[in-house]
Amino acid sequence: MTAFFPFRRLGRFGRLQLLRLVAQTPAPIGRLMPRRFWTPPPGGIDFGDFGRTEPISVDFGFDRGLPIDRYFIERFLERNSSTVRGRVLEIGDNEYTVRFGGTQVEKSDVLHVDATHPVATIVGDISVPGTLPDRAFDCIILTQTLHLIFDMRGALAELARALKPGGTLLVTVPGISPVDRGAWRHTWYWSLTENALERLLASVLAKEDTEVETFGNVFAATCFLQGLSLHEVSPAKLDVLDKSFPVIVAAAAKRPLE
């Protein structure tokens, strides 16, 4: 083993020297190299359309197409579509219930805080105990809602109580995200990490029955902050996962059978 040590050192130093040489490569050639080998030198960044202090869209990208965060949310729901069955509760409307549950859904409920909402079947605030019926739902879909509730743990406790034994809570929350400029601006309290959502759910449901995941990378986060939509970017780039840049944090959490 000792005899090979100089060669290992030479290889390591050789790689370092190669990286230094590559870093000095002129931009026209460097941009053709794999990104892990070459980055623009300091002062050499071309900001292009991103070189502005206002985002390209101030509406998360809805005005340009499907927002990038929705792409991640819908991938998560599609993978967990087998749990969208029986009696299902969704917040605001039942679009995802119908889309991902289909004929598996026997009864669709919609929760809203506004009693005049046309499709609401349950009216109330999920952070208030007793808002939901006990052990009533086979699945609860809670997308991009938890961060609008200051007492997140209280809301999750209410949702957990409302699940049937064996029922599933499908929840998504923002990680790296703009803050809404419109109706939700004054109740936008949180952005969460994977660790935060995992601990919150573990306080009300068994950790072993919960799967938490993240979606995003620096490219996805940058494009989402600028308000680009799905059709403007490469889905292959969005699908690369870098947990240091969570755009969406999602979890499928089951209430244990009793």
Side-chain angles (χ1 to χ4, degrees):
M1 295 294 289
T2 305
F4 288 100
F5 179 70
F7 295 99
R8 292 206 305 271
R9 286 187 58 186
L10 180 62
R12 184 171 69 249
F13 292 149
R15 286 194 297 271
L16 289 173
Q17 290 298 325
L18 178 61
L19 288 173
R20 291 192 183 101
L21 287 172
V22 168
Q24 298 171 19
T25 303
I29 299 174
R31 293 186 191 281
L32 299 176
M33 297 181 178
R35 300 297 174 85
R36 65 182 181 275
F37 294 128
W38 184 86
T39 58
I45 302 296
D46 180 4
F47 287 96
D49 291 332
F50 285 179
R52 46 193 284 160
T53 58
E54 288 289 323
I56 291 171
S57 168
V58 297
D59 193 27
F60 299 92
F62 275 109
D63 53 333
R64 303 174 68 87
L66 182 71
I68 287 170
D69 67 334
R70 288 288 154 180
Y71 170 70
F72 294 136
I73 292 164
E74 292 174 9
R75 283 186 60 211
F76 166 73
L77 292 175
E78 185 174 16
R79 287 211 302 269
N80 289 278
S81 59
S82 63
T83 67
V84 185
R85 57 179 178 77
R87 186 178 180 185
V88 181
L89 174 68
E90 191 172 346
I91 312 301
D93 59 44
N94 67 347
E95 176 185 351
Y96 286 152
T97 301
V98 173
R99 178 174 169 184
F100 295 103
T103 58
Q104 299 179 131
V105 177
E106 298 170 5
K107 180 176 173 55
S108 172
D109 282 291
V110 174
L111 173 72
H112 205 283
V113 294
D114 184 356
T116 65
H117 193 275
V119 298
T121 61
I122 302 173
V123 176
D125 180 344
I126 55 173
S127 65
V128 177
T131 296
L132 300 176
D134 187 44
R135 300 188 177 198
F137 303 104
D138 297 285
C139 180
I140 298 175
I141 300 175
L142 188 77
T143 57
Q144 305 305 94
T145 301
L146 191 62
H147 65 292
L148 303 174
I149 301 169
F150 191 79
D151 183 8
M152 288 189 294
R153 189 188 178 283
L156 287 172
E158 178 68 5
L159 293 166
R161 184 186 61 78
L163 283 173
K164 292 180 182 178
T168 304
L169 170 64
L170 300 176
V171 56
T172 71
V173 294
I176 299 171
S177 173
V179 172
D180 183 57
R181 296 174 181 237
W184 302 114
R185 179 174 184 175
H186 299 293
T187 57
W188 191 297
Y189 295 111
W190 312 105
S191 284
L192 280 76
T193 63
E194 183 178 16
N195 291 340
L197 184 58
E198 185 174 53
R199 287 193 63 174
L200 279 167
L201 287 168
S203 69
V204 296
L205 290 166
K207 185 175 182 179
E208 59 269 21
D209 293 322
T210 299
E211 294 184 5
V212 182
E213 58 182 315
T214 63
F215 298 85
N217 55 61
V218 67
F219 172 79
T222 301
C223 292
F224 180 50
L225 290 174
Q226 285 286 351
L228 299 191
S229 64
L230 178 62
H231 78 274
E232 299 178 277
V233 301
S234 166
K237 287 187 176 181
L238 298 180
D239 292 342
V240 175
L241 174 61
D242 183 344
K243 286 180 174 288
S244 293
F245 296 91
V247 175
I248 287 294
V249 183
K254 287 191 175 183
R255 179 171 178 171
L257 294 170
E258 299 171 0

